[in-house]
Amino acid sequence: MSAADSQRMEKIVSLCKRRGFIFQSSEIYGGLNGLWDYGPLGVELKRNLKNYWWRVMVHERDDVIGMDGSILTHLAVLKASGHIEGFADLMVDCRLTNQRFKADQIPLQNGTVFTYESARDALPSEDGLLALAQLAETDQEPRIDKAVSLSDSVSLGERIVQRRNLSIASPTRDPESTEKFFLELVTELIRNPQSEWEERFRLGYSVPARHVCGDSFRVLVPAGESESKAKKTAQLFYQRRGLKLPVLSLLSKEKVEDTREFNPENGAEFTSPRPFNLMFQTQLGASSDPSSIAYLRPETAQAIFVQFKNILEVSRKKLPFGIAQIGKAFRNEINPRNFTFRSREFEQMELEYFCRADEGMKLLEYWKEERLKFYENIGIPREKLHVLTVPDQDRAFYSKGTYDIEYEFPFGRQELEGVAYRTDYDLAQHQRASGKSLEYFDEETKQKFIPHVVEPSAGVDRTVLALICEAFAEDQAPDEKGKMETRNVLRFHPRMAPIKCAVFPLLKNKEPLVAKAKEIVDLLRPHMFVFYDESGAIGRRYRRQDEVGTPFGVTVDFETLGEKDAALRDTVTLRERDSMKQERIAIKDLPQILLSRIS
Ligand code: GAP
């Protein structure tokens, strides 16, 4: 992410908190990672999005009906769907920091790999140190009751060198020169022993009496950087395994290309990839036997498949037809990130559109186009949307085609929605596992078969985030005195804007203005979410509404009261957020004019 984009993202996150769109969950207790709460304006935005999705996907169509399934899900459902076995991310851990990463998100890297087979401590073992302390202190009458810290060992050695007048140079405190210093000291002391402590020191400084770590460790150093970088990283690795001053044992170095085996942040090697199931498990009732295990659903789709037969019977729909659902889903994401983009609790808007096998590919194209239109209709321009054809190797094995609809977030191009042709996999799996028929009977051909399905699956939270990112702007607008100043504005499509219209009396201490403004609020309230504000200068009030994306502002002034011109009685100014243009409108026409612009 460029510096400008990351600054933009910071401004967006801060505005979301300041103006009540999105807060961190459990914030006063330090927050819960990957979980978010929507404030008064966030909840309106989210609701507008979900309502519009429901309107175009369900209410405006003859071929789609809705449902609302339970969040807690039977183990058998998720076994049949493949989630118990396969709903896992391959994860790797950095062997230095223990940080966990998704294996498929590691970038390819080149450089030289240094392999260390082990390391030993350059400082003496505790026995060796004890002997050193005795030798340093008295030379003759050893006392072994003195506690000595390991960091003192070099100065103890230097003291012995001085007392015995040995010609050994002091070490530079790096591991190799420290080891060399002690080895020379051992040689000198053994040559002329004066007590039992010389031999005890020799033994205490032998390998493996010293601390030794036999774990091998690899470090990648990018081309152009020196070996000392690998050494520093490896030393940290062995220090974290208890060595105070590790002397490294280098086994090999070799050039590598396109590897994902190393942490790009520090070069340390990763563990081998391991699957990590992303589902949250819970227990139903007081019993702890395995039959009471349930899961928080990882997608809303499975409830639709499991209720397919019931809904088919009650709705008597003919193929092709769809079942839609909006609801919460839960995934124990390892790296929740980019604000709400990857959360552990989120909402999905999913449609399972059932069809005959020969219609699948055509309907996949149809739904991709419909979904692109949807995003354009909520204010996300087509040029910011991208369609990724998911390559064969990345697609679920049962899918015959999948598109990802991506949006250009400030943190990069990322998935908003997946549109997948899932064949008859889900219904076939549930039929097999439950032993209940999930077949469709075709009245015309008198054939029974398991329908295929095309699934557009969108994330509510990701779309809300895309709406906010797209709407956020800073432009120039005149202040009270006509001087230009920077204005924060959310240019939401009126359809999505949390507040549709703000109503302002020009002055709050003029009773007729206030009364008229409140009448207007009552007139508009049955049709839309309206906000009344009488405090502060009118320009300030406009700014506050611009910042939360309110598309229209109605001001009641003296003309409204007919004081200057009787012809203007019961008219108001209607201000549009983006152009800041004002027009004079009759109060009685307001509901209809506003409704035509926001619906
Ligand atoms: N039923 C198919 C399915 O769940 P998915 O691609 O895993 O497919 C669909 O999820 C959509 O749900 C994604 O495109 C995204 O918008 C949203 N989504 C998935 N994981 C999410 C997460 N951790 N946080 C926020 N939204 C998520």
Side-chain angles (χ1 to χ4, degrees), residues 299 331 333 341 343 348 350 415-416 455 457 459 462:
E299 59 174 10
R331 297 182 189 176
E333 298 285 357
F341 180 82
S343 310
Q348 291 184 314
E350 296 201 296
E415 176 187 332
L416 272 184
E455 174 199 67
S457 169
R462 280 190 191 177

Side-chain angles (χ1 to χ4, degrees), residues 135-308:
L135 292 163
E137 206 159 5
T138 67
D139 286 350
Q140 286 151 9
E141 255 187 63
R143 279 175 24 224
I144 36 177
D145 58 345
K146 190 158 188 307
V148 185
S149 82
L150 276 171
S151 59
D152 294 334
S153 55
V154 172
S155 28
L156 286 176
E158 286 169 336
R159 200 162 150 202
I160 299 168
V161 167
Q162 212 180 18
R163 287 186 159 213
R164 298 210 179 173
N165 214 9
L166 302 173
S167 66
I168 303 175
S170 287
T172 52
R173 306 264 162 164
D174 67 279
E176 286 77 14
S177 91
T178 306
E179 186 178 54
K180 182 165 169 280
F181 169 77
F182 282 119
L183 289 175
E184 284 175 12
L185 186 60
V186 167
T187 313
E188 289 296 332
L189 291 175
I190 286 302
R191 191 176 294 162
N192 185 15
Q194 296 173 14
S195 67
E196 63 180 293
W197 293 106
E198 283 80 359
E199 177 58 13
R200 285 181 68 171
F201 176 59
R202 188 187 69 78
L203 288 173
Y205 200 70
S206 66
V207 181
R210 270 189 263 162
H211 285 136
V212 175
C213 176
D215 295 352
S216 69
F217 181 63
R218 296 184 304 148
V219 190
L220 177 77
V221 175
E225 293 189 38
S226 76
E227 181 174 350
S228 66
K229 190 169 175 205
K231 268 184 144 179
K232 267 191 200 144
T233 310
Q235 268 160 358
L236 270 177
F237 172 82
Y238 289 108
Q239 273 166 354
R240 286 176 190 178
R241 277 155 185 75
L243 271 60
K244 298 276 189 298
L245 196 57
V247 183
L248 305 171
S249 205
L250 180 68
L251 182 68
S252 63
K253 54 183 188 178
E254 75 176 306
K255 286 213 161 38
V256 293
E257 282 184 0
D258 293 344
T259 174
R260 287 200 165 92
E261 293 173 23
F262 300 87
N263 184 348
E265 287 166 18
N266 57 24
E269 73 176 320
F270 285 127
T271 55
S272 321
R274 278 192 302 260
F276 177 89
N277 196 300
L278 299 180
M279 284 194 298
F280 288 99
Q281 190 183 310
T282 188
Q283 196 86 33
L284 297 184
S287 144
S288 63
D289 70 89
S291 65
S292 62
I293 289 176
Y295 290 86
L296 301 189
R297 65 181 176 201
E299 59 174 10
T300 63
Q302 293 308 319
I304 300 181
F305 297 128
V306 171
Q307 292 298 352
F308 169 75

Side-chain angles (χ1 to χ4, degrees), residues 232-492:
K232 267 191 200 144
T233 310
Q235 268 160 358
L236 270 177
F237 172 82
Y238 289 108
Q239 273 166 354
R240 286 176 190 178
R241 277 155 185 75
L243 271 60
K244 298 276 189 298
L245 196 57
V247 183
L248 305 171
S249 205
L250 180 68
L251 182 68
S252 63
K253 54 183 188 178
E254 75 176 306
K255 286 213 161 38
V256 293
E257 282 184 0
D258 293 344
T259 174
R260 287 200 165 92
E261 293 173 23
F262 300 87
N263 184 348
E265 287 166 18
N266 57 24
E269 73 176 320
F270 285 127
T271 55
S272 321
R274 278 192 302 260
F276 177 89
N277 196 300
L278 299 180
M279 284 194 298
F280 288 99
Q281 190 183 310
T282 188
Q283 196 86 33
L284 297 184
S287 144
S288 63
D289 70 89
S291 65
S292 62
I293 289 176
Y295 290 86
L296 301 189
R297 65 181 176 201
E299 59 174 10
T300 63
Q302 293 308 319
I304 300 181
F305 297 128
V306 171
Q307 292 298 352
F308 169 75
K309 204 57 185 249
N310 279 335
I311 293 176
L312 179 65
E313 275 169 18
V314 297
S315 68
R316 295 189 293 126
K317 289 280 173 201
K318 301 271 174 279
L319 286 182
F321 76 95
I323 304 175
Q325 182 174 204
I326 299 180
K328 290 265 187 181
F330 302 82
R331 297 182 189 176
N332 195 4
E333 298 285 357
I334 312 300
N335 298 322
R337 67 201 158 97
N338 290 332
F339 199 19
T340 57
F341 180 82
R342 191 176 302 286
S343 310
R344 291 184 166 137
E345 174 175 341
F346 54 96
E347 271 184 284
Q348 291 184 314
M349 305 181 282
E350 296 201 296
L351 170 70
E352 304 303 327
Y353 196 76
F354 298 99
C355 61
R356 292 174 176 80
D358 60 1
E359 299 166 310
M361 289 312 280
K362 213 172 63 207
L363 283 167
L364 176 68
E365 296 305 313
Y366 167 80
W367 279 112
K368 176 194 71 183
E369 292 304 321
E370 285 297 296
R371 299 303 304 145
L372 286 169
K373 268 189 246 159
F374 174 88
Y375 289 110
E376 288 185 79
N377 287 339
I378 59 172
I380 299 184
R382 184 67 182 81
E383 61 273 17
K384 293 279 212 58
L385 295 167
H386 302 272
V387 178
L388 172 85
T389 305
V390 178
D392 291 356
Q393 68 273 17
D394 295 347
R395 243 178 17 226
F397 69 90
Y398 48 79
S399 167
K400 281 204 174 152
T402 302
Y403 293 118
D404 282 350
I405 298 180
E406 299 178 327
Y407 168 71
E408 285 175 28
F409 287 96
F411 44 83
R413 191 188 283 188
Q414 298 279 353
E415 176 187 332
L416 272 184
E417 164 158 0
V419 185
Y421 172 25
R422 299 172 67 119
T423 64
D424 60 355
Y425 173 78
D426 302 274
L427 288 181
Q429 284 291 100
H430 287 302
Q431 173 166 295
R432 203 171 299 133
S434 66
K436 306 274 164 36
S437 164
L438 296 179
E439 285 176 323
Y440 175 85
F441 178 66
D442 190 327
E443 306 272 356
E444 279 168 31
T445 61
K446 308 290 178 213
Q447 278 179 328
K448 268 185 170 178
F449 58 92
I450 294 179
H452 281 222
V453 72
V454 174
E455 174 199 67
S457 169
V460 175
D461 309 76
R462 280 190 191 177
T463 311
V464 164
L465 184 58
L467 287 171
I468 296 174
C469 291
E470 187 57 39
F472 180 80
E474 290 168 304
D475 64 10
Q476 294 292 309
D479 68 5
E480 297 291 284
K481 295 181 183 116
K483 201 171 129 239
M484 295 309 266
E485 62 175 7
T486 300
R487 168 177 87 140
N488 275 341
V489 55
L490 285 175
R491 298 186 197 278
F492 287 129

